[in-house]
Amino acid sequence: LATPDYELVPLMFSWPSDPGITGMNYDQARNKQSRISGYDLARFLKEIAATTDIGTVHIIAHSMGAEVLGYAIEKLGVSGMGLAQAGKAVQPVFRQIVFAAPDVTPRIFSEVIEPAIASNHLVTTYGASTDLPLWLSSIKSREARIGRVAPGTRLPECVDTVDVTAVTSKGGLSHSTWAESPRVLDDLRLVLRDGLKPSLRGLVKRDRVVWALPARAAKGKPASPSPGTAVLRGCGQYSAK
C-alpha cells in the first residue's frame, strides 16, 4: 500500500483464533475467544488514540479478525470511537475502517459496527462470492457471511461493500484477494489515502448496496476528491447533544 509519496507504518494485533478444540463446542469457544480478544484490542486502540502525535489511523481487519474488531468497536462504544462537541457532528477518532473478507454473520456485523457508524467513521468491506473458506464457514454454521457478498445477504447500507470476485485468482481460495490483487490494493489505497467514494474509484454499482470492482481498470485517472467527498454515505451525520 505504501508508495514513495504515501508513507504507512503498520501496527499489528494478533490473537489466538484457534480455541484448540473440535466438535460441537467449537463455535461457542471461538466466539468466546474472539470476544475476549476484542476487549484486548479495544484497550490497544484506546492507547493508540491517546497518542496525539501518531497521525491518521486506519484499521483493517481480515477474516475472523473482523469479529474481533467488531467486539472491540462494541466495547469502545460511541464515546470511545468519537469526539463529541456540543451542537457539532461527532468526529471519528480513526479514519477508515476496512473489513477484508470478514468471517462474520450479517446480524453480528450490524450490531457491533453501530458505534463506528454513530461516530461517523467511514467503513468499507471487501469480499468475493468465490471465497472458499467463507463458504465452508457459512455451511458449517448455517449462517451467511458478510465477506461472501452473495446476492440476498443482508448488508448494511451505511457500509461501502465492494465485490472483488472479478479479480480473484482462478483455482485459489479467494480469501486473501484484498492483499494479493494489485487491483484491490490500488482501490484500497484510494480509500485510505484519498477517502474517495466508490463512484470516484471506477467501481460499478452491482445493486442497491454492493459495488463491484471490474477486472480491468478504467482508462484515465480517478476523479480528484472534492469538498464533501469523504463524508459518511447513506447514514446522515450524528451530532453531539
Side-chain angles (χ1 to χ4, degrees), residues 92 95-98 113 116-126 155-162 187-188 190-192 194-201 203 205 208-211 225-238:
R95 181 74 178 277
Q96 303 282 351
I97 298 178
V98 177
I113 67 166
I117 299 301
S119 54
N120 295 318
H121 282 80
L122 303 175
V123 184
T124 301
T125 293
Y126 288 97
L155 301 170
E157 293 187 25
C158 295
V159 173
D160 285 335
T161 301
V162 181
D187 185 72
L188 181 55
L190 293 175
V191 172
L192 303 183
D194 303 322
L196 293 183
K197 293 187 202 178
S199 59
L200 298 178
R201 305 197 315 259
L203 304 187
K205 195 75 172 177
R208 189 166 60 90
V209 178
V210 180
W211 294 84
S226 57
T229 289
V231 298
L232 193 65
R233 273 78 70 184
C235 303
Q237 287 195 329
Y238 291 77

Side-chain angles (χ1 to χ4, degrees), residues 62-85:
H62 176 236
S63 192
M64 291 191 293
E67 193 168 88
V68 175
L69 176 57
Y71 286 131
I73 292 172
E74 184 181 53
K75 180 67 174 178
L76 289 169
V78 178
S79 61
M81 293 290 293
L83 301 175
Q85 296 180 354

